[in-house]
Amino acid sequence: AESGGRLVVAVAGMVVGLVCLEMFFLARVAAVPASAASGIRLEADGKNPVGLPAFIGTEWIGREAAVTAVERRILPPDTGFSRRRYVSVQDRAHAVFISIVLSGRDRTSIHRPELCLVGQGWTLAALGGHPFSQSDRNGILPATLLRTTMAEPRSQQQVRALVAYFFISSDAVVATHMQRFLHDAWNRVRHGRADRWAYVLLQADAADGDAAALSRMQAVLDGTLPSVLVRP
């Protein structure tokens, strides 16, 4: 019985030691200083992503979209933004909103976009992943795809839209928040580096179907990201 008691105490001591070691490890990982590395080109101020183009060929006109007061209040002050709402010249009923949010030293700038969408009144349904193409580099941009609906305040008619988003660092493009978390943790542990992350979000009306909405998103990505991405 006495030997059994000593074994329990020894095991308990090992568990406590491992917990303390894990806490120390996680604290060291979290304390890795932010680097200036980013997969997004920056304005001269080093804070905001470069501005998105005002026109995409002759097919789209992009109007700057303001950052909301709620975003300014809840996100860290060194969060960078670049966003526009592109309207189709051929049919002004169709538009694509694109937003780039870039973290600063405080990593809470980057979060799951679903949180903001629900807060804005959208109802979400996950559609899984979608690979957008990079026409200028023969590459792929993996993205998370959502179907969103909202009741129009006056008519109460359902407004349908598709949302796609992905995350970008200096050495990766990933589709999910968990993939971003794991990649960031690996870089902190393996390379002692904490890059600035950005997330790119697109929202397109889908009254004429998902395929048409995805086509509009692809057109806007083709006309904007080549001038914004550092890599890949």
Side-chain angles (χ1 to χ4, degrees), residues 42-185:
L42 304 179
E43 294 281 10
D45 60 10
K47 169 185 173 182
N48 293 293
V50 294
L52 295 162
F55 300 94
I56 299 176
T58 58
E59 292 80 29
W60 297 90
I61 298 175
R63 296 185 174 88
E64 289 188 359
V67 180
T68 66
V70 173
E71 288 173 304
R72 293 290 190 192
R73 185 171 66 252
I74 66 175
L75 295 178
D78 61 351
T79 303
F81 300 91
S82 183
R83 53 181 55 166
R84 283 186 184 268
R85 182 175 184 270
Y86 289 92
V87 178
S88 170
V89 173
Q90 293 183 346
D91 186 347
R92 293 181 178 269
H94 295 309
V96 177
F97 170 74
I98 179 170
S99 169
I100 302 173
V101 178
L102 179 64
S103 69
R105 288 185 172 275
D106 190 329
R107 289 300 183 269
T108 59
S109 302
I110 305 301
H111 52 279
R112 295 176 68 245
E114 288 91 337
L115 300 177
C116 291
L117 291 167
V118 171
Q120 294 168 6
W122 293 95
T123 299
L124 311 182
L127 296 179
H130 178 78
F132 289 101
S133 65
Q134 285 186 279
S135 58
D136 63 323
R137 306 190 187 195
N138 297 317
I140 289 177
L141 293 168
T144 294
L145 193 63
L146 306 170
R147 180 180 288 122
T148 64
T149 57
M150 178 190 288
E152 200 279 326
R154 293 184 179 180
S155 67
Q156 291 302 300
Q157 290 184 340
Q158 290 293 311
V159 177
R160 295 181 64 248
L162 285 189
V163 169
Y165 67 82
F166 50 91
F167 300 90
I168 299 172
S169 73
S170 65
D171 63 352
V173 178
V174 298
T176 70
H177 187 69
M178 179 55 68
Q179 290 170 336
R180 183 202 68 81
F181 174 81
L182 293 174
H183 190 85
D184 187 58

